[in-house]
Amino acid sequence: MQLDRISRNILSILQQEARITNQDLANRVGLSPSSCLNRVRKLEEAGLIGPYLSNLNLAKICRSVEVICTVSLKDQSTDAFRSFQSAAQSHPEVVECYTVSGTFDFFLRIVAPDMARYNDINDMLLDVLPGMVNISSHVVLTNVKPFRGYPLDALLEQTL
């Protein structure tokens, strides 16, 4: 899908203000409300927008521990990767899982209620491929720069 200036503006605004009304969005991008709604629906249908999520302030809701893990598999087969990916997806506390290049194979972000639960998840992930998984855990002390959206202007300026 080709993104013109208006669609780029819609994406930028929705990324920062997902709860904006269609009327306000239309005013900000210079379209009628019906045209704006049609654009948003087309962007959703093309898979460029969604799902809609809320950023929660977990520290104000409950106690938790956040752990960043790097994972290396000794078995580099497709089956081993699929087994580990499936295990990571099966635990709701694994909130992000990336397959990456470099010195390790996966990057995980795990959020658990306490270290005991994190240790249980760690043990379950190690047991997926006994003796074949190495997990290095890094407890997050402070999130200095939380994710607040992609730098669309910088990323898209080369495509025009």
Side-chain angles (χ1 to χ4, degrees):
M1 177 176 197
Q2 188 68 14
L3 294 175
D4 63 8
R5 180 187 54 80
I6 293 173
S7 291
R8 289 174 56 175
N9 286 343
I10 289 171
L11 291 173
S12 291
I13 292 167
L14 286 176
Q15 175 174 243
Q16 298 300 316
E17 303 172 54
R19 290 180 50 108
I20 191 171
T21 66
N22 183 60
Q23 180 69 52
D24 289 342
L25 181 60
N27 289 341
R28 293 203 20 209
V29 299
L31 291 174
S32 70
S34 61
S35 293
C36 185
L37 186 58
N38 285 335
R39 287 257 192 158
V40 171
R41 285 186 177 149
K42 286 179 183 176
L43 292 167
E44 288 171 339
E45 289 167 5
L48 299 176
I49 302 174
Y52 293 92
L53 304 170
S54 293
N55 285 323
L56 304 179
N57 185 339
L58 203 53
K60 290 189 176 190
I61 298 170
C62 61
R63 292 183 55 132
S64 63
V65 61
E66 183 173 352
V67 183
I68 305 297
C69 301
T70 56
V71 179
S72 298
L73 303 183
K74 291 181 184 172
D75 179 351
Q76 295 289 297
S77 70
T78 302
D79 288 341
F81 271 70
R82 284 187 185 135
S83 293
F84 190 84
Q85 289 168 345
S86 178
Q89 290 173 337
S90 73
H91 296 289
E93 297 92 343
V94 179
V95 296
E96 290 183 278
C97 177
Y98 299 91
T99 303
V100 296
S101 62
T103 58
F104 52 89
D105 301 308
F106 294 94
F107 174 89
L108 306 177
R109 187 165 69 96
I110 300 173
V111 180
D114 52 39
M115 284 306 292
R117 178 63 183 149
Y118 169 73
N119 283 330
D120 290 343
I121 296 164
N122 188 66
D123 289 345
M124 287 184 265
L125 292 172
L126 289 170
D127 289 342
V128 171
L129 300 164
M132 303 298 275
V133 178
N134 180 31
I135 299 176
S136 180
S137 303
H138 311 274
V139 175
V140 174
L141 302 176
T142 305
N143 187 340
V144 177
K145 185 178 179 182
F147 180 75
R148 295 287 186 243
Y150 298 103
L152 284 180
D153 289 339
L155 293 170
L156 293 173
E157 72 183 27
Q158 299 300 320
T159 61
L160 292 179

